[in-house]
Amino acid sequence: MKRSDKEKILIDSTFAAKRLLGAYLIRQIDKHRLIGKIVETEVYHQDDPASHSCHGRTKRCEIMFGTPGFSYIYLVYGMYYCLNIVTGKEGEGAAVLIRALEPIKGIDTMKIYRKMDDIKNLTNGPGKVCQALNITNKENKKYLLDNKSSFYIKFNNQIQDNKIIYTTRIGISKAKDMLMRFYVKDSKYVSIK
DNA sequence: CCGGTGATGCCCT
DNA sequence: GGGCATCACCGGT
């Protein structure tokens, strides 16, 4: 898929959150290639009181207002990183949070980073995704649509609409009833059903 | 299985 | 200084 086609997918954040389901997140670390299929996403945008971008540009969330396709990574609860894909048009403060993956490749390496063996528990949460793929601040503001990169998104395996569940977000206190969370129906690897 | 809780550092309506 | 887009662990069922 061409880079411009990928950017088109990301212009509409809700569409992007659905279309990212089934896509591969690929991360090359030295000789290890870690691959996960995205199975759960959440939309955050400027008009949403739970979004970092809701009060306009700040140093931390500035990237959300930029070109779609970049990573937005932040530290939460002092311990865990969360990975977002910037979406929306230039100037719109939006992103899609990657909440869960199905581990595909490099599972042994993910187990080491996660310090545990249980496959179903490796990447079923946004903090776990970053831990399993060793994603930290260093990966913030990277362009994720370039197939030659060591950290990128590969769109394929589009999930059919009737296999996507559309529901409320979790793990937030503000605007918790907004329907902004998507996951693959029947996946064993989502955070909460 | 469930709910409660502590850890821990950065950000800033 | 208050609050967090989380997780693992603990104790009671």
Side-chain angles (χ1 to χ4, degrees):
Chain A
M1 187 182 291
K2 283 186 300 187
R3 181 186 288 191
S4 58
D5 290 335
K6 293 184 182 179
E7 287 190 2
K8 263 182 222 161
I9 287 173
L10 299 179
I11 292 289
D12 180 297
S13 300
T14 302
F15 180 73
K18 288 199 287 183
R19 195 62 180 75
L20 279 163
L21 295 176
Y24 284 168
L25 181 64
I26 300 176
R27 176 130 164 85
Q28 186 81 30
I29 304 175
D30 301 323
K31 283 179 294 190
H32 301 288
R33 194 167 187 78
L34 309 182
I35 303 179
K37 187 199 284 187
I38 298 170
V39 295
E40 182 178 345
T41 55
E42 269 177 9
V43 178
Y44 287 88
H45 62 85
Q46 217 171 336
D47 304 322
D48 170 3
S51 174
H52 292 170
S53 60
C54 74
H55 292 114
R57 297 170 190 255
T58 65
K59 188 165 187 258
R60 179 174 60 166
C61 74
E62 183 185 24
I63 187 82
M64 289 178 75
F65 292 83
T67 309
F70 279 80
S71 59
Y72 169 46
I73 293 162
Y74 62 88
L75 184 67
V76 70
Y77 293 103
M79 265 171 285
Y80 300 104
Y81 290 97
C82 290
L83 167 66
N84 295 257
I85 317 297
V86 172
T87 58
K89 284 182 248 180
E90 195 88 30
E92 193 184 327
V96 170
L97 173 69
I98 305 302
R99 282 200 58 89
L101 305 175
E102 173 181 338
I104 301 291
K105 193 168 190 300
I107 295 174
D108 290 341
T109 306
M110 295 184 196
K111 286 178 178 175
I112 294 168
Y113 286 130
R114 287 278 294 124
K115 300 182 166 72
M116 68 160 58
D117 278 340
D118 178 14
I119 294 194
K120 280 196 310 215
N121 204 20
L122 281 184
T123 51
N124 60 341
K128 299 178 191 179
V129 166
C130 287
Q131 211 174 62
L133 273 61
N134 196 28
I135 295 165
T136 69
N137 252 352
K138 282 199 280 254
E139 283 66 49
N140 194 18
K141 303 187 181 183
K142 302 288 188 209
Y143 189 68
L144 299 181
L145 305 182
D146 179 3
N147 288 1
K148 295 194 174 69
S149 164
S150 59
F151 183 33
Y152 69 98
I153 304 267
K154 181 175 173 168
F155 284 95
N156 57 359
N157 296 322
Q158 180 166 14
I159 307 295
Q160 298 190 348
D161 269 357
N162 63 5
K163 294 201 172 159
I164 296 177
I165 306 287
Y166 178 33
T167 182
T168 53
R169 290 178 297 190
I170 47 185
I172 57 170
S173 49
K174 294 176 201 163
K176 54 167 22 144
D177 50 351
M178 288 176 77
L179 296 169
M180 290 288 174
R181 175 172 168 250
F182 298 85
Y183 65 84
V184 178
K185 187 183 177 185
D186 301 330
S187 171
K188 288 181 293 191
Y189 301 95
V190 302
S191 60
I192 301 181
K193 299 194 178 170

